[in-house]
Amino acid sequence: MKNNNEHKILADNRKAFHDYEILEKYTAGIVLTGTEIKSIRKGSVNLKDGFARIENGEMWLYNVHISPYENGNRYNHEPLRTRKLLLTKQELNKLTGKINENGLTIVPINIHLEHGFAKVEIALAKGKNLHDKRESITKKTVKREIEKAIKYDAK
């Protein structure tokens, strides 16, 4: 998949849009080892249970599974290791303030390549309740039916 900004999206987290209401998005660099970037370029990434946390003024990414590289032999990485995210000090301060006062969380949305470097799109998110999930499913269904009716009327 190509994004319009010359970003090649390698993995995305559709579950995040189902479970959370996305408020703000940020792009962060990610500190990787040699075999991790090779696995990411292959698309062997799972963001489903991932989340980010700010500790000691640094952001860390948890529970993101990057499969071991097939040809990595003894230099392979731990699939679920904690990885450091690279953001500016202003972005970190802004996110820290919002998380502390509003009870929000940070979830990874996608991993993409930007000018050859792996980047993670993270989002400041608020958890949805069961009735919120039902409401968004209903909206999607209605929208799909309207598009179907318009398409049918055009014929």
Side-chain angles (χ1 to χ4, degrees):
M1 291 181 269
K2 278 274 188 179
N3 202 353
N4 56 0
N5 298 349
E6 294 300 318
H7 299 166
K8 183 179 179 189
I9 297 175
L10 301 170
D12 45 348
N13 187 359
R14 289 188 220 129
K15 186 178 177 190
F17 291 98
H18 182 262
D19 292 343
Y20 299 99
E21 178 184 340
I22 306 300
L23 304 175
E24 293 180 27
K25 293 182 182 179
Y26 298 89
T27 301
I30 183 169
V31 178
L32 300 170
T33 64
T35 56
E36 285 177 325
I37 187 64
K38 290 179 180 185
S39 290
I40 287 176
R41 287 176 195 266
K42 261 183 51 184
S44 303
V45 183
N46 185 354
L47 299 172
K48 190 170 105 173
D49 297 324
F51 65 94
R53 190 180 289 160
I54 299 174
E55 297 170 354
N56 300 326
E58 297 178 331
M59 185 171 290
W60 297 90
L61 188 63
Y62 293 90
N63 286 352
V64 172
H65 187 276
I66 300 176
S67 299
Y69 185 59
E70 297 165 354
N71 302 326
N73 60 42
R74 67 177 182 210
Y75 299 109
N76 255 329
H77 58 275
E78 181 70 30
L80 283 173
R81 79 175 183 90
T82 305
R83 294 166 182 92
K84 185 176 179 181
L85 295 181
L86 306 172
L87 289 166
T88 63
K89 199 65 155 175
Q90 291 84 6
E91 289 173 329
L92 281 171
N93 291 338
K94 185 177 179 182
L95 285 169
T96 303
K98 289 189 177 186
I99 288 171
N100 290 339
E101 67 183 45
N102 295 338
L104 303 174
T105 188
I106 301 170
V107 293
I109 300 295
N110 68 43
I111 290 184
H112 60 274
L113 289 178
E114 190 174 313
H115 306 294
F117 294 100
K119 304 284 183 178
V120 179
E121 187 172 11
I122 56 173
L124 191 62
K126 181 180 181 183
K128 285 185 182 178
N129 294 328
L130 182 61
H131 68 277
D132 293 335
K133 291 180 188 178
R134 288 182 183 154
E135 185 178 311
S136 61
I137 290 171
T138 306
K139 285 180 184 178
K140 283 183 195 174
T141 306
V142 169
K143 183 180 175 186
R144 199 176 308 126
E145 288 174 358
I146 290 172
E147 288 174 356
K148 193 175 183 181
I150 290 172
K151 185 177 178 183
Y152 181 75
D153 289 341
K155 290 182 181 181

